[in-house]
Amino acid sequence: VENLRFSYEEGEEVLHNLSVTFEPGKKYAIVGNSGSGKSTFMYVLMHYYNHFEGEIRFGSQSISDIQKKELYRSIALIHQNVVVLDGTLRDNVSLYESYSDENIKQALIRAGMGDYLNEKGLDFTIQESGSNLSGGEKQRIAIARAFLRNTPVMILDEATSSLDSLMAAKIEQTVLQSDTTILNIVHQLKADSLKQYDEILVFSKGAIIERGNYDELIQKDGIFRSLLSVMSA
């Protein structure tokens, strides 16, 4: 990402001259107060919007030259609002793509749904809008989809917000132990978790104002330390 600027409306810039390189296989935590531009940054990276200034490249190729369908085969975005289909558990994880039952089961197990799978089975029917699922079950299905697709990049935005702290921690550990490049928007700051990321990017008012690993940032008397004291509860 080089010199990225973005505005929803002309004259109201919300991302200001962002430059950052995400290296394959590394894990990145994105932190900042609500409204600091974290989610907007991710949506621009996913090419939800075309009207940005600057350059975004996936490998050596500009994302503007990549068809969105192909881009989404390489990047999985998991966020709080999960779309659930009226169909079987198998269909909801595979999204009607051709995967073996064994691979679907393994994705569900990695996403913390092993017990659910054993109880219900892949042919269990999920009702319209997931009315017979809890919020946590919906999010784990979304995470299983990403594991099944095995994308080289995974972006998480409040991906475990509906899970209890123990399950959220387990899934985060699974994600961090994968070979996937991870960009995780972290809303609840836990020192033990943040220490496992290769780099932490601190957003404020649409700009990256601090960056480094946990030890580097905690030594500074800066925004990260302030956020840690407020958002670690």
Side-chain angles (χ1 to χ4, degrees), residues 1-4 16-21 41 55 201 208 211:
V1 181
E2 292 183 359
N3 304 318
L4 175 65
H16 314 299
N17 200 34
L18 302 182
S19 294
V20 60
T21 298
F41 177 58
E55 184 69 30
L201 306 179
I208 299 173
R211 58 190 298 178

Side-chain angles (χ1 to χ4, degrees), residues 110-129:
R110 290 181 67 194
M113 292 196 76
D115 291 342
Y116 188 92
L117 173 64
N118 290 335
E119 178 185 352
K120 304 291 187 181
L122 289 178
D123 291 318
F124 175 72
T125 299
I126 294 173
Q127 296 172 2
E128 186 176 357
S129 301

Side-chain angles (χ1 to χ4, degrees), residues 207-221:
I208 299 173
I209 58 170
E210 291 178 358
R211 58 190 298 178
N213 62 35
Y214 179 87
D215 291 335
E216 291 167 344
L217 292 178
I218 204 66
Q219 291 175 13
K220 299 178 181 179
D221 187 18

Side-chain angles (χ1 to χ4, degrees), residues 101-159:
D101 282 0
E102 184 58 30
N103 286 341
I104 295 171
K105 290 177 180 179
Q106 287 302 314
L108 284 163
I109 291 168
R110 290 181 67 194
M113 292 196 76
D115 291 342
Y116 188 92
L117 173 64
N118 290 335
E119 178 185 352
K120 304 291 187 181
L122 289 178
D123 291 318
F124 175 72
T125 299
I126 294 173
Q127 296 172 2
E128 186 176 357
S129 301
S131 59
N132 56 341
L133 296 174
S134 68
E137 287 164 351
K138 291 178 184 179
Q139 286 190 298
R140 279 179 277 173
I141 285 175
I143 292 167
R145 290 171 180 167
F147 284 146
L148 181 63
R149 290 168 57 204
N150 195 29
T151 57
V153 179
M154 190 183 299
I155 298 175
L156 302 98
D157 185 1
E158 291 194 271

Side-chain angles (χ1 to χ4, degrees), residues 15-105:
L15 297 179
H16 314 299
N17 200 34
L18 302 182
S19 294
V20 60
T21 298
F22 299 109
E23 298 182 25
K26 290 194 173 183
K27 318 302 183 214
Y28 299 87
I30 316 294
V31 306
N33 286 319
S34 178
S36 60
K38 306 183 300 296
S39 295
T40 298
F41 177 58
M42 295 305 184
Y43 293 142
V44 175
L45 290 188
M46 290 291 293
H47 207 196
Y48 284 11
Y49 305 103
N50 298 318
H51 55 285
F52 61 85
E53 297 179 30
E55 184 69 30
I56 303 172
R57 291 189 300 274
F58 190 86
S60 60
Q61 192 173 11
S62 170
I63 66 164
S64 299
D65 297 329
I66 304 174
Q67 291 187 358
K68 289 186 179 181
K69 183 177 180 179
E70 293 303 315
L71 184 67
Y72 299 159
R73 290 185 186 276
S74 298
I75 305 176
L77 174 62
I78 308 170
H79 49 73
Q80 188 175 22
N81 300 316
V82 179
V83 176
V84 180
L85 310 175
D86 182 4
T88 65
L89 178 59
R90 177 191 291 104
D91 295 337
N92 267 278
V93 177
S94 69
L95 296 177
Y96 297 98
E97 296 283 340
S98 179
Y99 294 99
S100 70
D101 282 0
E102 184 58 30
N103 286 341
I104 295 171
K105 290 177 180 179

Side-chain angles (χ1 to χ4, degrees), residues 115-202:
D115 291 342
Y116 188 92
L117 173 64
N118 290 335
E119 178 185 352
K120 304 291 187 181
L122 289 178
D123 291 318
F124 175 72
T125 299
I126 294 173
Q127 296 172 2
E128 186 176 357
S129 301
S131 59
N132 56 341
L133 296 174
S134 68
E137 287 164 351
K138 291 178 184 179
Q139 286 190 298
R140 279 179 277 173
I141 285 175
I143 292 167
R145 290 171 180 167
F147 284 146
L148 181 63
R149 290 168 57 204
N150 195 29
T151 57
V153 179
M154 190 183 299
I155 298 175
L156 302 98
D157 185 1
E158 291 194 271
T160 58
S161 62
S162 294
L163 307 179
D164 63 68
S165 58
L166 181 61
M167 180 58 69
K170 286 182 178 179
I171 291 176
E172 185 176 29
Q173 285 303 305
T174 300
V175 168
L176 289 173
Q177 289 166 8
S178 71
D179 296 329
T180 305
T181 306
I182 301 298
L183 282 62
N184 187 9
I185 298 179
V186 180
H187 293 264
Q188 191 170 25
L189 306 188
K190 301 290 187 182
D192 289 346
S193 171
L194 290 169
K195 288 177 182 178
Q196 299 179 68
Y197 288 86
D198 295 292
E199 189 170 18
I200 301 167
L201 306 179
V202 184

